[in-house]
Amino acid sequence: MAWALVSAIKDQLSSFITSEFTSIANVKGEVQKLESKFHTIQAMLNDAEKRQVKEEAVNIWLYKLKDVSYQMDDVLDKWNTAMIKAEIEKQQKDEEEKAETSAAKKRKVWPPISIPNLFQHRDIAHKIKDLNEKLDEIDREGEMYEFVLTRGNEEVVERPRTTSFVDVSKIFGRDKVKDDLVRSLLGKGSEEEINPHVISLVGMGGIGKTTLAQLVYNHHEVKVHFEKKLWVCVSDPFDQCRVAKAIVQAFGGGDSNITELQSLLEKICELIEGRKIFLVFDDVWTEDFTSWEPFRLALQNGAPGSRIIVTTRKRRVAEMMESASIINLEELSEEDCWSVFSKLAFCDKNFEECKQIEDIGRKIAKKCKGLPLAAKTLGSLMRFKKSREEWEIVLCSSMWEFEDVERGLFAPLLLSYYDLSSPLKQCFLCCGVFPKDYGFSSDELVFMWMALGYIKPRANMEMEIIAREYFENLAIRSFFQDFVKEEDDDKIKYCKMHDIVHDFVQLMSKNECFTINSDISLGVDYKNARHLQLELLKNAKFPESIYSAKTLRTLIFELQGSYNLSTLSQHFRCLRVLTLCYEYPSMLRELPNAVGNFIHLRYLYLVNYCGDALPETICNLCNLQILHIDLVGGFQKLPQGMDKLINLRHFKLDCNIARYPNINFPRGFGRLTSLRTLNHFNVNGEDDSERCKLGELRNLNHLQGTLQINGLGKEVDQCEAMNAQLKKKINVRTLKLWFHLDEWDPKEITRGMDALVLNALEPPPNLEDLSILYYKGPTLSPWMVSLTNLKKLYFEGLLIEHLPPLGKLPALTSLTIRMINRLKKLGVEFMGIEESEKEKDDISITLFPNLITLKFYKLREWEEWNENGGEEEEDCTRRFVIMPRLQHLSIENCPKLKSLPNFLCTTPLQHLEIYHCQILEEWCKRGTGEEWPKISHIPNINFDPLYGRLHVAEGLSRMLDRQWRMLTRQKRAQSLQY
């Protein structure tokens, strides 16, 4: 972690040397000295980080170094902040001078800020000189420890060599996966089978991958099935010649003196040709395909039915080796974990001794959370502890407080840890601020890493993409588990960390990451704390001891009562990440003006915020990158000076209401050209001089993900809609267009204006999800059928009489039509059947080719659904294939609908729901209704709304997210008793 921190400071100093400051303040020499010293010290850090776990003196030395690095980071950030504010003020003054109205001249947020003055220069110069002296002392002290100098993340942990030998009597809980794996090994080969046939066992260190491989390697059926078998501990680095020699010797090639890889591989081809072989490549780390490719090609010479088992901690390795199957090894059950533990712990104890301590033993085994290595290690530790008191001490202690446990259990995790790059180590260790069993949001982690400056920039690559890649890297290395994924793109949304991994993180980030869940004084020194989560129950006393954490970077504040937040800014001026989470029924009713003092802040997350506005002082946070507000009340307006947040990349409003939030956005919002996330944008305001117009979106071309535009119609005209330039927002995937709700039966002029506005709001061509609500125009825009990537389409509250030819949309999978009261018929225009196509007898046309879900709600005047437009049914069926993938059809509150289309007979429908449609329900009666033949093939038909699907409001997804978090907290609270 220190390596990444020092490296980042070095990069900042390099750019600082060329800045205006060094020439004005004449401190260029001091900064160059600092840069040189950081470079020298960086060479010692790998050895120092290896030795810190065992040598307390080295640990203290590292803390001193990191402390100076953090201080340097703060000094540089203060200077950069002053320069940013000065530039903002200059731009503001230039604009005010050009403005023709007095209203623009009145808009000020903070007192005038001039270019940093001589006093500020001297202050920073003094601090740099002071830090140089501290670094001199640290450098001299480092010489005492005789660190081994390295240039990068070189090998720092000895990797143990594994063998195929195993004591089967001590293995529990792997019978099913073992039997399945044996069946795969014994399966008959075929010409179609990939050769070599690779099966990968993937999982975190200590989960039992090697043990499972040993079990099947020694299985009696496996022994007789293969002509030759071989166990190779590959480890890291991947030594091609060593592995090749091992294969040659095992397959009868003698004690080869060949040293050339080419010759060794030729010998392998010769020895295995036509023979059914079984290889185990244990503990593979390399992701480099070029290292594996020569072996893959050589091993193709084995006979069909040959097998290779690979064990690895990294899923990417399994994918690189083109595995025919990947087995993600899960934790043991609680009972199996107890069996592993008790076999060792009770080995030398009599029945009475075992009986006296079994209850504590089960609780200790439960701490292992299904990890076999943990059960073995703790079982071995408890074997020589006789008294109940000794067992209770272990139960109440952290894993890493015992040297034997630390050495046996954490050694495999250290291997995984040191395999990480320096930035990944930083990201991984800061997860120690969260409590055990915490449900991580992947977005939350990504934003946090960005705010803390852990993301190493790459040319032409978005910071968010790099951060997401970091997260995926940690996930595929089995540092995270219990994944909850997005429905659409399989992206990980939530995950957890195994308790043993969490203990390891706490060990490695000791004295920097803290989690406090009580007001009891723990006698802990928080002076070196950088990341802190504080969870306070209602009426609990605030632990003032944390005020000593003056250089805190992350504060996650979870409250169930009230607290004077102004106090925070007096003590934690270095914060980069601030989360204020008020647990229901508590709410954050007001954000104090003092929030503007957190000048270093990058990430502000407010949960359960019920204030009506944000303080204007929040606009002082010119470094802010992420502003995320979870609203639960009548929030009304954003600060007028919000356009000063020029570094804001993500502005996210979560609203626990079905309709859009009626929040006043400030004029000038379009200056936030760094924005990537803007899930809500409101067009509103009565005063034209302050009104946020739709044209503010014009230059926000970095927007991505979801964009919901609220308040269309009324003051919005065609010209303003064209100024928004939605077509240029090529990374926006979901677009929601909300028109005003206040005119249910508008005049024709209003309807015409809405039509012009919608037509001008042509979305980007890559759009995948479109919603249009309360639009009053007579027809929908022609650009709709050109959205060839559109997957989801939602209409609500429209006044159109006909739907466009949606059957032409090739990617559409979900269509919802709700509350279109003027719609009476669905026919050829909806299907997309053109007159010219009706005359073509020699071609078959597919309409709605990928539609899976179709829903109709509250279409009060809908009477007819006819796909053939008066054409003979047989001709229509022959020429057109309609909805060939339809799975789910729902029709609700359509009282005048009399029939269903004939093409339903040919669809693969699995679910049909018809609610509150009196006429249609009568005609669809099972066995007797005239429409029954059209739907009789559908396995699930439902007419009972109480039994059927639950109406899911727009805020339900967020509510489920909260419930998921709440359940993890409850589970965590229950575990505290152990």
Side-chain angles (χ1 to χ4, degrees):
M1 187 171 178
W3 174 282
L5 180 60
V6 169
S7 181
I9 297 300
K10 265 182 55 195
D11 292 342
Q12 288 186 66
L13 287 171
S14 296
S15 60
F16 195 61
I17 288 172
T18 60
S19 71
E20 176 189 4
F21 171 73
T22 51
S23 59
I24 296 175
N26 196 28
V27 292
K28 187 171 184 177
E30 291 290 331
V31 176
Q32 287 175 329
K33 284 182 191 176
L34 266 176
E35 185 189 24
S36 176
K37 286 169 191 169
F38 272 119
H39 184 79
T40 302
I41 288 174
Q42 191 176 29
M44 309 176 189
L45 286 181
N46 274 328
D47 192 34
E49 289 188 328
K50 172 189 172 184
R51 291 164 55 181
Q52 67 170 318
V53 180
K54 298 293 182 184
E55 299 178 42
E56 185 60 26
V58 173
N59 197 17
I60 293 170
W61 181 84
L62 270 176
Y63 274 122
K64 289 179 182 177
L65 174 61
K66 285 190 278 190
D67 187 57
V68 169
S69 300
Y70 281 123
Q71 289 182 52
M72 190 70 246
D73 187 38
D74 291 336
V75 168
L76 296 176
D77 202 52
K78 281 181 181 177
W79 173 258
N80 288 332
T81 301
M83 295 300 291
I84 291 170
K85 287 188 174 182
E87 181 61 27
I88 291 170
E89 187 205 31
K90 181 177 180 298
Q91 291 177 3
Q92 183 181 6
K93 285 183 177 179
D94 290 345
E95 288 175 7
E96 287 181 351
E97 287 174 2
K98 294 176 183 177
E100 296 178 357
T101 63
S102 59
K105 296 178 183 178
K106 294 177 182 178
R107 295 179 65 249
K108 292 185 184 292
V109 177
W110 50 63
I113 303 169
S114 59
I115 297 294
N117 56 37
L118 185 60
F119 174 78
Q120 288 172 301
H121 286 142
R122 287 177 176 172
D123 180 53
I124 291 177
H126 176 75
K127 287 178 180 176
I128 289 175
K129 187 175 182 181
D130 182 51
L131 290 172
N132 233 331
E133 291 171 0
K134 288 183 180 180
L135 204 59
D136 269 336
E137 184 181 341
I138 291 168
D139 194 11
R140 286 193 298 270
E141 187 179 338
E143 295 174 3
M144 297 166 46
Y145 303 111
E146 299 180 346
F147 292 121
V148 176
L149 302 184
T150 59
R151 294 185 178 181
N153 284 339
E154 298 174 5
E155 185 68 33
V156 290
V157 180
E158 184 180 352
R159 299 178 184 272
R161 296 290 177 188
T162 63
T163 69
S164 64
F165 298 102
V166 65
D167 185 349
V168 178
S169 67
K170 293 181 180 179
I171 310 303
F172 298 91
R174 295 299 188 201
D175 290 342
K176 185 181 184 306
V177 66
K178 178 197 70 176
D179 293 343
D180 291 344
L181 186 51
V182 168
R183 276 193 292 272
S184 295
L185 292 175
L186 302 181
K188 293 182 179 180
S190 66
E191 292 181 4
E192 294 80 20
E193 188 178 84
I194 298 173
N195 196 24
H197 186 100
V198 179
I199 302 170
S200 288
L201 308 179
V202 181
M204 64 181 286
I207 198 68
K209 303 180 296 296
T210 297
T211 301
L212 178 59
Q214 289 166 336
L215 284 175
V216 299
Y217 187 86
N218 291 287
H219 194 278
H220 64 279
E221 291 186 57
V222 172
K223 286 181 179 180
V224 299
H225 183 76
F226 296 98
E227 294 179 51
K228 276 288 183 180
K229 60 191 184 78
L230 169 66
W231 182 283
V232 183
C233 180
V234 178
S235 199
D236 195 35
F238 187 98
D239 187 334
Q240 290 176 302
C241 286
R242 183 183 68 80
V243 173
K245 279 185 177 182
I247 297 174
V248 168
Q249 290 170 8
F251 291 157
D255 233 354
S256 176
N257 294 319
I258 304 173
T259 57
E260 289 296 323
L261 180 62
Q262 174 67 30
S263 300
L264 286 166
L265 292 173
E266 288 175 355
K267 190 68 174 175
I268 290 173
C269 290
E270 176 189 329
L271 290 169
I272 70 171
E273 186 172 7
R275 304 172 77 180
K276 190 183 293 185
I277 61 172
F278 173 38
L279 300 178
V280 173
F281 288 146
D282 187 43
D283 196 31
V284 181
W285 290 75
T286 184
E287 299 172 24
D288 182 11
F289 182 72
T290 59
S291 297
W292 163 244
E293 174 71 352
F295 288 91
R296 185 186 70 82
L297 296 173
L299 293 171
Q300 286 178 348
N301 265 23
S306 296
R307 294 288 187 268
I308 298 172
I309 284 182
V310 172
T311 73
T312 181
R313 303 181 190 195
K314 298 151 71 169
R315 186 176 180 87
R316 193 168 288 166
V317 170
E319 292 167 350
M320 177 274 293
M321 298 183 82
E322 298 178 333
S323 303
S325 64
I326 299 176
I327 299 173
N328 291 293
L329 215 53
E330 304 292 338
E331 295 91 347
L332 296 177
S333 68
E334 193 172 307
E335 194 59 35
D336 286 330
C337 201
W338 162 247
S339 297
V340 174
F341 171 83
S342 60
K343 185 87 173 177
L344 293 166
F346 294 158
C347 181
D348 298 324
K349 296 179 176 64
N350 60 42
F351 177 77
E352 283 302 319
E353 286 177 318
C354 295
K355 189 176 179 181
Q356 289 295 320
I357 53 179
E358 180 178 342
D359 60 325
I360 304 177
R362 286 190 175 274
K363 292 177 181 177
I364 293 174
K366 195 173 182 179
K367 291 178 69 171
C368 299
K369 290 296 181 76
L371 195 66
L373 181 61
K376 288 179 184 177
T377 306
L378 279 176
S380 299
L381 174 72
M382 305 314 295
R383 180 175 180 177
F384 303 106
K385 296 185 184 295
K386 303 293 185 182
S387 70
R388 188 177 177 86
E389 289 74 19
E390 288 178 301
W391 281 57
E392 285 176 341
I393 288 172
V394 173
L395 175 63
C396 298
S397 302
S398 296
M399 293 280 195
W400 45 268
E401 292 179 13
F402 300 96
E403 186 175 338
D404 290 342
V405 175
E406 178 192 313
R407 184 171 56 249
L409 182 57
F410 290 158
L413 293 175
L414 272 171
L415 290 175
S416 294
Y417 173 73
Y418 283 115
D419 188 57
L420 299 174
S421 65
S422 294
L424 271 177
K425 286 178 185 175
Q426 280 188 307
C427 295
F428 175 55
L429 292 187
C430 82
C431 295
V433 71
F434 299 102
K436 281 187 179 180
D437 213 34
Y438 183 83
F440 296 98
S441 157
S442 57
D443 287 342
E444 180 181 18
L445 284 180
V446 162
F447 288 159
M448 183 175 172
W449 297 338
M450 286 169 50
L452 291 169
Y454 292 169
I455 310 305
K456 190 173 183 179
R458 290 184 218 156
N460 302 319
M461 187 173 283
E462 291 274 280
M463 185 169 25
E464 292 79 2
I465 295 175
I466 301 171
R468 187 77 202 182
E469 188 180 292
Y470 284 7
F471 174 80
E472 297 289 346
N473 249 307
L474 292 173
I476 64 174
R477 291 164 189 262
S478 305
F479 285 119
F480 298 130
Q481 61 182 34
D482 295 347
F483 299 121
V484 176
K485 297 188 176 182
E486 300 278 6
E487 289 183 12
D488 297 334
D489 58 6
D490 207 37
K491 181 178 128 182
I492 297 171
K493 188 175 183 180
Y494 293 116
C495 61
K496 289 184 182 179
M497 184 178 279
H498 192 283
D499 282 6
I500 305 301
V501 178
H502 187 273
D503 282 339
F504 173 75
V505 170
Q506 285 200 319
L507 170 65
M508 298 302 292
S509 60
K510 189 168 55 174
N511 299 327
E512 287 202 20
C513 292
F514 292 91
T515 299
I516 305 174
N517 53 20
S518 73
D519 58 349
I520 301 171
S521 177
L522 303 175
V524 177
D525 182 6
Y526 297 104
K527 184 174 63 175
N528 293 316
R530 307 296 176 186
H531 313 285
L532 172 68
Q533 183 185 60
L534 176 60
E535 188 173 348
L536 281 185
L537 300 177
K538 194 173 183 180
N539 301 323
K541 184 181 178 183
F542 190 86
E544 296 187 358
S545 56
I546 69 167
Y547 287 149
S548 61
K550 299 294 184 184
T551 55
L552 203 63
R553 295 297 182 97
T554 302
L555 178 58
I556 300 171
F557 208 174
E558 295 194 7
L559 292 172
Q560 292 184 6
S562 59
Y563 173 74
N564 182 6
L565 295 174
S566 299
T567 311
L568 294 179
S569 65
Q570 299 173 19
H571 299 279
F572 307 126
R573 294 293 183 94
C574 298
L575 284 181
R576 266 65 170 175
V577 177
L578 176 60
T579 295
L580 300 175
C581 178
Y582 280 70
E583 294 292 333
Y584 186 82
S586 298
M587 295 182 186
L588 177 56
R589 302 189 181 281
E590 185 181 15
L591 195 63
N593 288 327
V595 71
N597 295 329
F598 294 117
I599 63 167
H600 300 288
L601 200 65
R602 264 76 170 170
Y603 180 17
L604 178 60
Y605 184 19
L606 307 176
V607 181
N608 275 349
Y609 188 73
C610 69
D612 59 1
L614 293 174
E616 285 291 330
T617 53
I618 204 171
C619 303
N620 287 337
L621 307 180
C622 60
N623 289 306
L624 198 65
Q625 295 175 348
I626 303 110
L627 179 57
H628 186 180
I629 311 174
D630 187 351
L631 299 171
V632 292
F635 191 81
Q636 296 178 8
K637 65 176 183 177
L638 296 171
Q640 284 299 306
M642 200 168 170
D643 58 336
K644 308 301 186 294
L645 303 179
I646 59 172
N647 286 306
L648 196 64
R649 298 172 72 89
H650 303 276
F651 177 49
K652 191 172 181 181
L653 293 172
D654 288 335
C655 312
N656 195 20
I657 50 177
R659 57 174 294 181
Y660 69 79
N662 190 21
I663 300 168
N664 283 333
F665 275 53
R667 186 176 181 181
F669 197 87
R671 296 191 186 98
L672 305 182
T673 53
S674 295
L675 275 176
R676 269 68 178 168
T677 300
L678 178 62
N679 64 332
H680 285 283
F681 180 81
N682 287 8
V683 183
N684 50 24
E686 297 181 2
D687 184 348
D688 194 59
S689 63
E690 295 184 356
R691 186 167 74 87
C692 183
K693 297 184 178 182
L694 191 58
E696 296 276 5
L697 292 173
R698 182 182 185 88
N699 296 318
L700 305 187
N701 290 329
H702 293 298
L703 291 180
Q704 53 192 234
T706 299
L707 172 61
Q708 178 170 320
I709 303 175
N710 308 314
L712 293 168
K714 217 170 182 178
E715 293 92 357
V716 179
D717 58 23
Q718 181 184 14
C719 181
E720 193 175 326
M722 291 182 67
N723 283 338
Q725 294 286 296
L726 291 189
K727 195 170 184 178
K728 292 184 178 180
K729 288 30 173 197
I730 58 174
N731 292 314
V732 170
R733 294 292 180 264
T734 299
L735 180 64
K736 299 181 181 181
L737 303 175
W738 282 70
F739 286 75
H740 269 286
L741 307 177
D742 53 356
E743 296 182 64
W744 283 96
D745 190 18
K747 299 176 182 178
E748 287 303 316
I749 187 171
T750 305
R751 299 191 71 196
M753 287 176 62
D754 269 15
L756 290 172
V757 168
L758 183 63
N759 200 46
L761 287 174
E762 184 174 356
N766 293 328
L767 197 69
E768 296 178 358
D769 189 342
L770 174 64
S771 298
I772 301 176
L773 299 95
Y774 306 105
Y775 164 74
K776 303 168 193 69
T779 59
L780 289 167
S781 298
W783 50 251
M784 191 168 298
V785 293
S786 68
L787 300 174
T788 54
N789 292 320
L790 197 66
K791 295 178 181 178
K792 292 184 178 181
L793 189 55
Y794 180 93
F795 297 136
E796 180 176 339
L798 277 55
L799 296 181
I800 58 175
E801 296 180 6
H802 302 283
L803 286 167
L806 302 180
K808 295 288 190 181
L809 294 174
L812 194 65
T813 61
S814 174
L815 174 61
T816 301
I817 301 171
R818 185 184 183 103
M819 294 170 57
I820 304 184
N821 291 333
R822 297 191 181 190
L823 184 68
K824 292 185 178 182
K825 294 181 181 180
L826 284 183
V828 291
E829 80 292 335
F830 168 62
M831 297 296 173
I833 300 174
E834 299 177 8
E835 287 296 326
S836 59
E837 292 172 336
K838 291 181 182 181
E839 300 171 2
K840 296 178 181 178
D841 293 331
D842 57 339
I843 60 171
S844 176
I845 299 171
T846 303
L847 307 171
F848 291 104
N850 285 297
L851 193 67
I852 295 172
T853 302
L854 178 59
K855 299 180 180 181
F856 299 101
Y857 301 143
K858 295 186 179 179
L859 305 183
R860 303 290 187 185
E861 302 300 320
W862 186 25
E863 298 176 358
E864 183 181 331
W865 185 4
N866 183 0
E867 78 274 21
N868 57 26
E871 190 179 13
E872 287 296 327
E873 179 182 334
E874 184 180 341
D875 291 340
C876 182
T877 304
R878 186 180 69 250
R879 295 174 187 172
F880 301 99
V881 178
I882 303 173
M883 302 186 190
R885 298 185 61 199
L886 190 66
Q887 297 281 312
H888 191 144
L889 173 61
S890 180
I891 304 172
E892 181 175 349
N893 276 311
C894 302
K896 295 184 179 182
L897 185 61
K898 302 168 186 174
S899 63
L900 294 172
N902 294 317
F903 73 83
L904 288 183
C905 298
T906 61
T907 63
L909 260 175
Q910 297 298 306
H911 301 274
L912 173 63
E913 298 165 350
I914 301 175
Y915 308 138
H916 305 303
C917 304
Q918 295 87 340
I919 299 175
L920 189 60
E921 286 180 39
E922 185 67 27
W923 284 62
C924 287
K925 277 188 176 180
R926 185 177 298 271
T928 60
E930 289 192 23
E931 298 295 295
W932 174 250
K934 299 177 183 178
I935 62 173
S936 59
H937 67 290
I938 302 171
N940 300 292
I941 301 175
N942 185 28
F943 298 103
D944 183 359
L946 296 178
Y947 178 79
R949 63 169 171 75
L950 174 70
H951 279 303
V952 181
E954 194 169 314
L956 181 59
S957 175
R958 201 163 124 269
M959 183 184 74
L960 292 173
D961 291 348
R962 283 181 175 179
Q963 287 178 347
W964 192 85
R965 291 292 189 87
M966 185 173 67
L967 287 171
T968 61
R969 289 194 181 102
Q970 289 174 350
K971 189 176 177 183
R972 197 170 71 235
Q974 291 169 2
S975 68
L976 290 177
Q977 61 182 302
Y978 301 117

